[in-house]
């Protein structure tokens, strides 16, 4: 303890009072009429059409010789040999697959367009590529289909409710900050707005993950003092304001406070020394 006294310090602790309004609550309470949902579906029906997809794998044969030609024909005659060829190269299926390919994204690739002209799963080719001859395997065909109104209804409702909720959020944000500027506290605002108030403690300015990657939130915490801040809009469209309730500065800890921690450190060091011995 005497040797490393300066390293045994308490964290700098800040205690905040936080007022927040969850955007999802705005979304859930929006009233969206069935006619609006139906109109949106009819006006955007093309966006609910799922185009054809195919699960496609590809094997290259860089050597254009009789041996490669023979192997290609063997695989085409017996498609089960496609996997055998993959494994013989020390590869896995994931190494040779193109994944699910959309028909529209294949229009600039002549070989893929030929694959989309085939009606059944199987092995096709060989086709010329920049890497030599290639054979393609169609593992799965997902035909074009239309998402029905019944299936799309819930998603459309959420979309329209979110747009409507954003407008409400901006309006409430302005009203809230006018009230804050007039000297209202979070407690004063609770009765008029759906504000959730909670206490948050952070050590050494280490923000929770929910705020850490939001620059606006970080600035709000960094600049906080004993007066309520203005409400800000977070990345998920929720609203946040806060004030610094108390700050406990870092201090050197006493031997009594850190003796258990030191004992754990020494046990680990002794165990390591014993293990090496």
């Amino acid at each position: 303890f005497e040797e490393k006294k300066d390293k045994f310090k308490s964290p700098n602790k800040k205690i905040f009072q936080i007022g927040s309004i969850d955007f999802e609550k705005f979304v859930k309470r929006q009233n969206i009429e069935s006619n609006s949902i139906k109109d949106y579906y009819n006006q955007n029906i093309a966006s609910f059409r799922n185009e054809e997809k195919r699960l496609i794998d590809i094997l290259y044969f860089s050597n254009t010789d009789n041996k490669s030609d023979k192997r290609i024909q063997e695989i085409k005659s017996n498609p089960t040999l496609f996997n055998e060829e993959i494994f013989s190269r020390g590869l896995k299926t994931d190494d040779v697959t193109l994944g699910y390919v959309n028909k529209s994204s294949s229009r600039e690739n002549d070989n893929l367009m030929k694959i989309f002209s085939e009606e059944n799963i199987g092995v096709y080719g060989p086709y010329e590529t920049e890497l030599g001859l290639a054979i393609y395997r169609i593992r799965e065909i997902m035909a074009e289909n239309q998402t029905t109104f019944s299936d799309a209804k819930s998603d459309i409702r959420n979309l329209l409710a979110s747009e409507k909720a954003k407008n409400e959020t901006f309006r409430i944000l302005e009203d809230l900050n006018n009230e804050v500027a007039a000297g209202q506290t979070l407690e004063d605002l609770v009765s008029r707005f759906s504000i959730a108030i909670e206490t948050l403690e952070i050590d050494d300015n280490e923000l929770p993950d929910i705020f850490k990657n939001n620059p606006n939130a970080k600035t709000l915490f960094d600049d906080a003092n004993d007066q309520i801040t203005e409400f800000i809009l977070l990345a998920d469209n929720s609203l946040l304001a806060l004030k610094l309730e108390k700050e406990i500065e870092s201090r050197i800890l006493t031997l009594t406070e850190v003796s258990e921690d030191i004992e754990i450190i020494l046990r680990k060091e002794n165990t390591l020394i014993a293990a090496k011995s």
Side-chain angles (χ1 to χ4, degrees):
F1 174 75
E2 292 298 334
E3 290 175 1
K4 301 182 180 181
K5 186 181 295 185
D6 291 343
K7 294 185 178 180
F8 295 108
K9 294 181 180 180
S10 66
N12 182 278
K13 186 183 292 293
K14 290 182 179 179
I15 302 173
F16 296 93
Q17 183 188 51
I18 291 180
S20 62
I21 300 181
D22 185 5
F23 179 70
E24 287 303 316
K25 290 182 179 179
F26 278 133
V27 174
K28 289 178 181 178
R29 75 185 191 192
Q30 300 305 316
N31 181 29
I32 306 298
E33 296 181 355
S34 297
N35 289 341
S36 298
I37 299 175
K38 185 67 174 179
D39 289 344
Y40 182 91
Y41 180 81
N42 291 334
Q43 293 166 10
N44 299 274
I45 196 163
S47 65
F48 296 100
R49 185 174 295 115
N50 302 312
E51 65 176 307
E52 181 182 343
K53 295 180 182 178
R54 297 192 173 194
L55 181 56
I56 300 173
D57 305 322
I58 184 170
L59 274 176
Y60 294 100
F61 293 82
S62 55
N63 297 324
T64 54
D65 52 30
N66 291 334
K67 185 177 179 181
S68 295
D69 291 341
K70 181 181 178 183
R71 184 57 173 168
I72 289 172
Q73 293 308 315
E74 289 175 349
I75 296 172
K76 289 189 64 177
S77 301
N78 182 6
T80 60
L81 296 178
F82 197 98
N83 282 339
E84 182 181 294
E85 181 66 21
I86 294 173
F87 303 143
S88 71
R89 300 183 184 189
L91 302 173
K92 297 179 293 186
T93 304
D94 287 347
D95 297 323
V96 301
T97 189
L98 300 178
Y100 285 96
V101 180
N102 295 329
K103 188 173 185 178
S104 62
S105 64
S106 306
R107 288 174 182 155
E108 296 182 2
N109 187 311
D110 292 338
N111 291 342
L112 287 177
M113 287 306 297
K114 292 173 184 175
I115 296 302
F116 270 91
S117 68
E118 303 292 345
E119 296 182 357
N120 302 308
I121 62 173
V123 178
Y124 299 94
Y127 302 120
E128 290 284 350
T129 73
E130 294 179 354
L131 300 177
L133 292 178
I135 55 175
Y136 294 79
R137 176 174 66 175
I138 304 173
R139 264 196 286 155
E140 184 181 346
I141 298 176
M142 298 176 64
E144 180 179 317
N145 62 81
Q146 183 78 31
T147 300
T148 65
F149 173 69
S150 177
D151 290 337
K153 187 175 181 179
S154 177
D155 289 338
I156 295 173
R157 192 267 167 202
N158 288 336
L159 176 64
L160 296 178
S162 294
E163 291 302 316
K164 193 173 180 181
K166 285 179 184 178
N167 293 331
E168 183 178 353
T169 299
F170 289 128
R171 177 181 59 77
I172 289 179
L173 177 61
E174 184 176 358
D175 290 344
L176 280 169
N177 285 334
N178 286 336
E179 295 292 342
V180 170
Q184 295 291 297
T185 66
L186 289 175
E187 289 81 359
D188 296 330
L189 299 172
V190 167
S191 61
R192 296 177 50 200
F193 302 92
S194 302
I195 298 175
I197 297 179
E198 60 181 322
T199 299
L200 175 67
E201 294 186 10
I202 65 171
D203 293 339
D204 295 328
N205 295 319
E206 186 66 25
L207 291 178
D209 290 341
I210 189 174
F211 302 126
K212 188 178 295 183
N213 297 321
N214 191 312
N216 290 341
K218 186 177 185 312
T219 300
L220 200 67
F221 278 94
D222 289 343
D223 297 341
N225 54 46
D226 59 357
Q227 299 297 315
I228 180 175
T229 66
E230 284 194 341
F231 279 82
I232 64 165
L233 191 68
L234 298 178
D236 65 352
N237 293 311
S238 296
L239 301 179
L240 176 71
L242 54 87
K243 71 173 182 177
L244 181 62
E245 292 272 270
K246 186 177 182 181
E247 182 172 7
I248 304 172
E249 294 186 357
S250 177
R251 63 177 177 83
I252 300 293
L253 297 173
T254 66
L255 176 58
T256 302
E257 291 174 310
V258 299
S259 59
E260 290 185 5
D261 292 334
I262 293 176
E263 183 178 356
I264 292 172
I265 293 171
L266 294 178
R267 284 185 182 277
K268 288 181 178 178
E269 290 182 355
N270 290 342
T271 301
L272 182 61
I273 292 170
K276 286 181 176 179
S277 175

